[in-house]
Amino acid sequence: SVRKFPSLMRYTVRKAVIRLETKQKNERLEQAVVRYGHSVLRLAFTYLKNRFDAEDVAQDVFLTYHLKAPEFVSEQKERAWLMTVTVNRCKSVLRDLRRREVPLPEDLSYLPRYEGDLMQAMLDLDEKYRVALHLHYYEGYSLGEIGRMLHCSVSTVGSRLIRGREKLKKRLGEDYFEE
């Protein structure tokens, strides 16, 4: 009977292969969301200062990941790709909405007190300091990696980190960081 319907057999095999590929892509996406979802969301929040916009960006980033299905040689490359896509998507959202001056979120009570105070102070910083600090201290990227993500030199990243830390110390007080 298969000989009578070779096109049916090819169709069935093709359908099974597509199902398998879809299942593998879905599992890969699920693993990426579990591994990097929090980092992507935090970076987006650091940029946009709004939880709902940050969640939208995170969704867009993982949708792009799922649709493009890029192959990576290591987890570090995968993570860097996701962070870069997040940064670019956040810039696009800010540009599209033309809302450089976003009011600070009213309620950061869902964060622990120490982290809430620090996050509030970080949200008050200019975007260039806020993003550099987040990528370095929260995500653990080197100055060179951050420079590549933000399309600026290593010395510029270093300056932004120094100035950002100085502004945080001025806002929170020297003793805040000694605890």
Side-chain angles (χ1 to χ4, degrees):
S1 66
V2 172
R3 292 175 196 219
K4 293 179 184 177
F5 303 103
S7 62
L8 178 62
M9 181 63 168
R10 281 193 302 271
Y11 172 77
T12 306
V13 168
R14 211 174 305 136
K15 195 172 174 183
V17 167
I18 290 170
R19 239 189 260 132
L20 178 63
E21 288 173 351
T22 302
K23 182 180 178 192
Q24 290 170 340
K25 277 178 70 175
N26 288 344
E27 288 172 357
R28 192 166 167 241
L29 173 64
E30 209 172 293
Q31 290 171 355
V33 170
V34 167
R35 255 193 312 250
Y36 309 114
H38 187 68
S39 294
V40 166
L41 187 59
R42 283 184 77 133
L43 178 57
F45 182 76
T46 299
Y47 246 99
L48 302 172
K49 299 181 183 181
N50 179 302
R51 189 173 119 208
F52 302 109
D53 289 342
E55 288 172 353
D56 287 345
V57 165
Q59 248 182 353
D60 288 348
V61 167
F62 285 109
L63 179 61
T64 301
Y65 176 89
H66 184 65
L67 294 175
K68 291 190 181 233
E71 292 294 326
F72 301 100
V73 294
S74 68
E75 284 187 22
Q76 291 82 9
K77 297 284 185 187
E78 181 179 34
R79 185 169 179 254
W81 186 89
L82 287 165
M83 294 296 120
T84 301
V85 171
T86 303
V87 166
N88 291 337
R89 183 67 187 118
C90 287
K91 286 180 179 180
S92 177
V93 166
L94 289 172
R95 185 177 50 248
D96 291 346
L97 297 177
R98 303 199 192 299
R99 59 177 195 174
R100 294 281 177 197
E101 295 300 318
V102 176
L104 292 174
E106 296 296 319
D107 184 22
L108 291 176
S109 62
Y110 63 92
L111 294 173
R113 185 184 174 324
Y114 176 83
E115 193 172 339
D117 292 345
L118 181 60
M119 183 59 76
Q120 191 67 49
M122 280 190 60
L123 291 173
D124 288 339
L125 294 175
D126 289 341
E127 178 183 302
K128 61 186 176 183
Y129 305 124
R130 190 173 63 241
V131 173
L133 287 166
H134 179 84
L135 288 171
H136 187 68
Y137 291 107
Y138 284 94
E139 303 302 330
Y141 283 105
S142 70
L143 276 61
E145 291 169 322
I146 296 169
R148 283 189 294 282
M149 284 182 207
L150 301 178
H151 310 291
C152 61
S153 70
V154 173
S155 59
T156 299
V157 173
S159 296
R160 289 177 182 178
L161 289 174
I162 289 168
R163 289 185 186 125
R165 282 191 302 260
E166 288 171 356
K167 289 176 182 291
L168 284 176
K169 283 181 183 177
K170 188 175 179 181
R171 166 87 192 268
L172 297 170
E174 290 281 337
D175 58 334
Y176 185 84
F177 295 97
E178 299 300 320
E179 293 177 9

